[in-house]
Amino acid sequence: MTRPEVGASPRPCAECGGSEYGGAPACTACRALVDGIVEDEWAGFLRRWDVGDDQETALAEMVAAEPDRHDWRVVDAALDRLVCADCGDRLGRGPVGCPACDRAHGFRYAAIETDRPGVPRGNEHAVRVNVSVVRRPHVTSAGELLVRRLLLPVLLVGFLPTTEEAQRMSALIRRSPPAQRIPLAERMIEEATALRRAGHRPPGRDRR
């Protein structure tokens, strides 16, 4: 299970009918793809360290203690393998207000984010934020989750909305009736990505 290539077109999901990744967390196929972004990197990390199953928890504890030295996917996977002493959930994914989970979630953003060749600067940060939101849906509003999950497929192929575009999407979604939110978000994302493919460059955007 690998991430889509930069510049590729999002593929439809056979289970939910939307774009792959974008149906998570409700769509089990999309959720597995999103989790795979993290799990694939962890599997490679284990191979590089050549550790057995009996050492995996100890390695996860080491990573969680020094998140700034590891890729964000490795950090997120390490937290998944640790149990929160306060709430008993996976560390960083417990209920809002759990002190240990809130701390772990904050520290995860010290991890390394490396943009792939050919993407706008900051694309990897956007990917990891949206992945985090989709994998922790209980900590955000329904409107915010909708925008994050629908944006994820196009972020994974290299798109990056401007701050203004993202804020406009979120604001319009919040003000729209629930039944209109999905088609509205999909149309706004489609229009923004079409402009990029046509060569439109947002003002002030630093591209590599």
Side-chain angles (χ1 to χ4, degrees), residues 109-146:
Y109 285 98
I112 297 169
E113 301 168 350
T114 304
D115 283 324
R116 295 162 293 168
V119 302
R121 187 181 301 276
N123 172 265
E124 190 68 13
H125 176 71
V127 169
R128 75 83 41 89
V129 170
N130 285 33
V131 166
S132 176
V133 170
V134 169
R135 297 181 85 222
R136 301 172 70 247
H138 57 287
V139 303
T140 192
S141 67
E144 182 69 11
L145 175 61
L146 174 64

Side-chain angles (χ1 to χ4, degrees), residues 12-159:
C13 172
E15 181 173 323
C16 69
S19 295
E20 287 186 336
Y21 299 88
C27 171
T28 55
C30 288
R31 186 169 67 245
L33 288 171
V34 174
D35 286 340
I37 294 173
V38 171
E39 291 300 316
D40 286 354
E41 191 68 16
W42 180 255
F45 185 71
L46 291 181
R47 288 193 295 271
R48 291 192 295 274
W49 278 78
D50 191 24
V51 301
D53 292 342
D54 59 329
Q55 300 170 297
E56 189 172 5
T57 300
L59 186 61
E61 291 173 343
M62 180 200 74
V63 170
E66 48 183 29
D68 57 316
R69 298 184 62 183
H70 304 281
D71 183 271
W72 70 267
R73 294 162 291 181
V74 171
V75 173
D76 281 14
L79 294 177
D80 283 347
R81 283 156 175 81
L82 301 177
V83 177
C84 175
D86 290 343
C87 71
D89 205 333
R90 284 180 285 181
L91 187 59
R93 296 178 69 174
V96 176
C98 172
C101 283
D102 287 350
R103 283 196 302 273
H105 178 61
F107 289 150
R108 81 169 73 224
Y109 285 98
I112 297 169
E113 301 168 350
T114 304
D115 283 324
R116 295 162 293 168
V119 302
R121 187 181 301 276
N123 172 265
E124 190 68 13
H125 176 71
V127 169
R128 75 83 41 89
V129 170
N130 285 33
V131 166
S132 176
V133 170
V134 169
R135 297 181 85 222
R136 301 172 70 247
H138 57 287
V139 303
T140 192
S141 67
E144 182 69 11
L145 175 61
L146 174 64
V147 172
R148 295 289 184 178
R149 71 174 179 82
L150 293 181
L151 271 173
L152 185 54
V154 291
L155 292 174
L156 287 168
V157 297
F159 171 72

